[in-house]
Amino acid sequence: MKWTKVYLPDAYSPTMEQLVYFHDHTMSIITSITILICILLNSLLWNKLIDLNMNEHQMIETWWTILPTIVLFLIAIPSLKILYSMEELINPTISIKSMGHQWYWSYEYSDKFCKELESYMKYNKKNDFRLLEVDNKMKAPFLTQIRMIFSSSDVLHSWTIPCLGIKMDAVPGRINQSSLMIKKPG
């Protein structure tokens, strides 16, 4: 992934693949509506014909109401399907607890073996992404269902990995959880 890339990052999880497909679906609907509106506006600007009977036409007004409702359902149903699948927890093999602190994150693997690590940001390397590189990276197995548990010790924190399609807030005194499955190593 590069900073100059315009499109979404490459999908490394089934959730992100569904989000990319939904984005493409929604953009195709928006593009077709925009093209239709431009054609109608162009026709309106260049056409000087006036039909006085069109002012009292109830069928056109009915379709002007029904068609946007159908378009909204075409967008809302896949969106709700993705939202429910993102919240679903399917028999996690491993649980990783992620605790947000003021200047670092701490991770705890506690299912099969107890391992804890703290992850601090790196500074001032030319090849590193600013505010994204850390000294101890969280390691997670691929092709395994993982449960992530988030909390915070002090203030609100946001934990995200864009290519996995996961973004969760760590709130003090509250435990949030999310599931993820990584499809590609790296």
Side-chain angles (χ1 to χ4, degrees):
M1 185 171 163
K2 305 283 186 216
W3 287 109
T4 57
K5 192 173 179 183
V6 177
Y7 195 62
L8 298 171
D10 295 334
Y12 282 80
S13 71
T15 303
M16 188 61 188
E17 287 176 355
Q18 289 179 352
L19 289 172
V20 169
Y21 292 145
F22 175 70
H23 173 266
D24 294 343
H25 168 73
T26 307
M27 287 306 293
S28 65
I29 291 173
I30 290 172
T31 304
S32 61
I33 289 172
T34 304
I35 290 172
L36 178 68
I37 295 297
C38 287
I39 289 171
L40 290 175
L41 282 175
N42 190 23
S43 171
L44 185 67
L45 287 175
W46 297 107
N47 192 356
K48 301 297 182 197
L49 300 175
I50 298 173
D51 186 7
L52 296 177
N53 294 328
M54 288 290 283
N55 292 339
E56 300 291 330
H57 208 280
Q58 297 294 323
M59 188 57 72
I60 289 180
E61 291 180 9
T62 304
W63 281 107
W64 280 343
T65 307
I66 291 174
L67 283 178
T69 307
I70 293 172
V71 169
L72 286 176
F73 274 110
L74 287 174
I75 294 173
I77 290 173
S79 171
L80 290 174
K81 180 182 169 188
I82 292 172
L83 282 174
Y84 281 116
S85 70
M86 288 173 73
E87 292 295 323
E88 186 177 343
L89 221 63
I90 309 168
N91 295 331
T93 307
I94 187 170
S95 294
I96 302 172
K97 180 181 172 186
S98 178
M99 180 70 79
H101 301 281
Q102 191 157 359
W103 298 106
Y104 64 98
W105 286 90
S106 63
Y107 300 101
E108 179 182 328
Y109 302 84
S110 59
D111 281 339
K112 295 179 176 36
F113 55 93
C114 189
K115 181 180 178 184
E116 294 182 15
L117 62 104
E118 294 178 346
S119 181
Y120 291 89
M121 284 189 299
K122 283 185 185 178
Y123 296 106
N124 298 333
K125 281 198 175 179
K126 291 185 180 181
N127 295 334
D128 291 343
F129 286 124
R130 184 175 178 268
L131 301 177
L132 290 178
E133 292 293 328
V134 294
D135 57 355
N136 291 324
K137 296 181 181 180
M138 181 195 83
K139 293 175 179 64
F142 71 101
L143 297 178
T144 304
Q145 196 68 34
I146 302 168
R147 175 176 57 186
M148 292 291 301
I149 301 170
F150 304 98
S151 189
S152 173
S153 63
D154 46 16
V155 294
L156 291 174
H157 296 279
S158 183
W159 192 89
T160 183
I161 301 178
C163 62
L164 294 179
I166 183 171
K167 181 175 178 20
M168 207 36 108
D169 290 330
V171 181
R174 181 176 173 174
I175 295 176
N176 288 335
Q177 71 177 1
S178 179
S179 68
L180 66 104
M181 186 174 87
I182 304 169
K183 289 182 73 174
K184 299 176 188 175

